[in-house]
Amino acid sequence: MDSNIEFNEDHKEVLRELMNVAYGSSTAVIAEILDAFATLRVPKIELFNDEELRKYLLDRVDQDKDAFLCIQGINGKVAGESIFVLNRSSVENLALYFDLDEEASEEDLKDVATELTNILSSSTVGKLAEQVNSSVSFSPPSVSIVNGLSMGDDLKMKNYSQAIVICTSIEFEKEKIHGDLILFMQDQSIVWLKAALDKIISEYL
Amino acid sequence: MKTLVVDDSRLARSAVIKTLNKELGNENEIYQAENGEVALSLYKKENPDIVFLDLTMPVMDGFEALKKIRAHDEKALIVVVSADVQEHAVSQVMSDGAIMHVQKPINETKMKEIFKTVKFLLKAGSHG
């Protein structure tokens, strides 16, 4: 792997904490909308290739059922894509909070998944960028429904062969809503982010 | 002043210590713990004057550590410094005996506010 886009343990540790702060803020926004309480988890910072990402996702979704794959483009110094993965039952449970009943159409469910992705990913990535003194803009999210087993094929890391993946779960246990947020960053963004992290490391670690 | 800083992130611990030193000068004795379990054991051993406690941690999270420290010492002064800013999290830690819930990241202004509250509580002798 190109050493310019490799994160060392200090980079990962700092990024994990920045992500923790970012995700905490955005989860609070969702919790307020749902009038619910989420369990926050320590984020994982991983370098995944295609196969490793596929394995990770297969562990996280019900392989026999559909999953909603919500993708949103990120533009700015921290450029790339955020991917939010929700299993079908989570989206159906979420729909109840948006005044939709159990007979909600696929389009209605996609709308709900889109809305959640938009709030969660934009506030998380926005807060992450803010902490490294930058800002980002977002493209509208797109949602597709994929079979759990084929998710790895649908989510090819075509532009991110050497990307870092930041995985964070949102878990509203009582409401049975679980999702994973994954960020793919372009190589030049990783180089930029590494420099920003180095500044923080020199100041604090 | 003896201070216990509890966070699984070195960065977060370092940020608390740095702002703490700016507020108090270097005349404080600082202990660090990377999870609630280590914090509880250090608390029992060192009996610090104040604890800065994160919530999202492996092994034992801050919610549990808060309860256990307060069960051991009902006068423990515990400031929660966390990214978990959900209303439920804030109200839970306050009802479990934290003196404040402060949103991460910590900074000098927030630290000043913390010590205003701490001084008030110590003067009033009201916490516990």
Side-chain angles (χ1 to χ4, degrees), chain A residues 87-156:
Chain A
N87 58 31
R88 175 174 283 278
S89 61
S90 285
V91 178
E92 285 170 351
N93 291 334
L94 186 65
L96 301 175
Y97 289 85
F98 287 84
D99 293 331
L100 294 168
D101 58 27
E102 286 163 11
E103 302 300 314
S105 69
E106 296 289 273
E107 284 311 305
D108 286 340
L109 293 178
K110 277 184 174 181
D111 267 358
V112 166
T114 305
E115 185 59 14
L116 185 69
T117 302
N118 202 11
I119 297 168
L120 193 74
S121 100
S122 57
S123 57
T124 302
V125 180
K127 189 77 183 170
L128 177 68
E130 187 187 303
Q131 291 178 93
V132 287
N133 299 316
S134 186
S135 60
V136 284
S137 62
F138 302 93
S139 310
S142 65
V143 179
S144 52
I145 301 173
V146 299
N147 176 270
L149 250 185
S150 69
M151 182 175 296
D153 302 325
D154 291 287
L155 191 54
K156 284 280 180 204

Side-chain angles (χ1 to χ4, degrees), chain B residues 107-119:
Chain B
N107 58 33
E108 288 175 44
T109 312
K110 289 175 185 174
M111 191 58 86
K112 278 191 193 308
E113 283 304 311
I114 290 168
F115 274 90
K116 256 191 204 168
T117 306
V118 169
K119 280 173 191 163

Side-chain angles (χ1 to χ4, degrees), chain A residues 10 13-14 17-18 20-22 24-25 27-28 31-32 36-42 127 131 172 200 203-205, chain B residues 7-15 18 54 56-58 63 82-89 92 103-105:
Chain A
D10 281 349
E13 189 174 347
V14 170
E17 178 59 12
L18 299 184
N20 178 41
V21 171
S25 296
T27 303
E32 203 176 317
F37 178 61
T39 305
L40 296 187
R41 304 282 181 208
V42 180
K127 189 77 183 170
Q131 291 178 93
F172 289 95
I200 297 174
E203 194 177 345
Y204 287 100
L205 297 188
Chain B
D7 201 303
D8 57 318
S9 159
R10 269 195 302 152
L11 170 67
R13 291 200 303 270
S14 168
K18 211 171 171 178
D54 181 29
T56 311
M57 292 183 290
F63 292 104
S82 175
D84 192 345
V85 288
Q86 297 173 86
E87 268 184 41
H88 180 91
Q92 188 177 328
Q103 183 176 5
K104 278 184 174 181

Side-chain angles (χ1 to χ4, degrees), chain B residues 2-6 31-33 39 42-43 48 50-53 69:
Chain B
K2 264 191 183 182
T3 308
L4 174 58
V5 181
V6 190
Y31 298 89
Q32 299 187 48
L42 259 177
Y43 190 94
I50 186 167
V51 180
F52 291 87
L53 180 68
I69 293 173

Side-chain angles (χ1 to χ4, degrees), chain B residues 73-84:
Chain B
D73 176 6
E74 63 174 15
K75 290 193 182 305
L77 289 178
I78 302 174
V79 178
V80 169
V81 182
S82 175
D84 192 345

